[in-house]
Amino acid sequence: MTEPPTHDEAHGGGLGTRLNWLRAAVLGANDGVVSTAGLVVGVAGATESRAALLTAGLAGLLAGSMSMAAGEYVSVSTQRDSEKAALAAERRELREQPEAELAELTDLLAARGLSPDVAREAAEQLTERDALRAHARVELGIDPDRLTDPWHAAGASFLAFTVGAALPLLAIVLPPAPVRLWVTVLSVLAALALTGWWSARLGAAPPPRAVLRNTAGGALAMAVTYGAGSLLGAAGV
């Protein structure tokens, strides 16, 4: 007996929101890996002191994670304020100009491929059910029940950066001095290859190019900071 065809594609605005959060988490972790790796490798070029490496790594981890969280909070708060202002304006227009708003919703639905009669009927039904939600979703692209949360965004950025930064920090302080640099470099390049592959998958882009770009950028950052640290160490700074 033939199995009926299945359709596993997810629908709804929630999917796009989840993908955006996941992509932001991957990129945040990637930033934590690169920035902390560059910092600790640079210090390793100047000194072999485990205490100095730990101090620099922890300082970079905390400064970077707090900076990411604060920046994300400010950015998402601004977005949330804009969404709330747009909803307030739409609520006022629905109260003062209901017919004009109904015509506007009809035109928006017709622009999406519905016939004028069907668009009008759909607009009337949506308006009767919940006019503000209908206009928010169709006209503004906003889900009134799922406004962006700045605290959620800040926490996610803090966590993602911290997880990413922990890898080079542990890789530089745990191994013995003769191999710690190579352990760190190889661990960081492996992590960057993974985040590059995953970000490409999320964006439906070719993974090899993203992996190469990500690892090359990380390798360059570590080479530059290690060179600078070595010069400073040789100069006795």
Side-chain angles (χ1 to χ4, degrees):
M1 181 176 179
T2 305
E3 293 290 334
T6 58
H7 184 59
D8 297 327
E9 181 183 357
H11 293 279
L15 175 63
T17 300
R18 287 193 298 272
L19 286 177
N20 285 336
W21 280 114
L22 185 54
R23 184 178 293 109
V26 171
L27 294 177
N30 191 82
D31 287 344
V33 171
V34 174
S35 61
T36 307
L39 178 60
V40 297
V41 167
V43 175
T47 179
E48 293 186 354
S49 169
R50 192 186 302 269
L53 293 170
L54 179 60
T55 300
L58 279 176
L61 184 154
L62 292 174
S65 59
M66 293 301 295
S67 175
M68 287 282 291
E72 196 70 12
Y73 179 83
V74 170
S75 174
V76 175
S77 293
T78 301
Q79 180 182 344
R80 184 183 178 89
D81 290 343
S82 298
E83 291 173 344
K84 293 173 71 173
L87 289 173
E90 196 64 39
R91 189 179 292 110
R92 183 178 63 254
E93 291 171 358
L94 285 168
R95 184 176 61 252
E96 297 175 354
Q97 309 172 54
E99 288 301 322
E101 289 298 301
L102 178 61
E104 182 181 34
L105 183 59
T106 301
D107 292 340
L108 290 170
L109 293 172
R112 297 189 175 190
L114 298 180
S115 67
D117 291 339
V118 173
R120 179 72 180 190
E121 182 180 355
E124 291 174 348
Q125 292 183 10
L126 289 171
T127 299
E128 290 176 3
R129 183 176 303 172
D130 193 325
L132 179 61
R133 179 172 282 100
H135 280 266
R137 290 179 173 174
V138 177
E139 180 182 349
L140 305 176
I142 298 174
D143 186 343
D145 299 324
R146 294 183 177 180
L147 296 182
T148 52
D149 185 343
W151 287 109
H152 185 185
S157 294
F158 180 92
L159 181 60
F161 188 96
T162 300
V163 169
L167 173 67
L169 175 58
L170 294 175
I172 202 72
V173 299
L174 293 182
V179 297
R180 65 168 52 127
L181 181 61
W182 289 110
V183 170
T184 302
V185 170
L186 293 177
S187 300
V188 166
L189 292 180
L192 293 177
L194 179 61
T195 56
W197 177 86
W198 189 238
S199 63
R201 293 284 294 175
L202 290 174
R209 184 180 303 172
V211 169
L212 178 61
R213 181 169 56 237
N214 218 30
T215 53
L220 178 61
M222 288 187 288
V224 170
T225 56
Y226 182 77
S230 298
L231 290 174
L232 290 174
V237 178

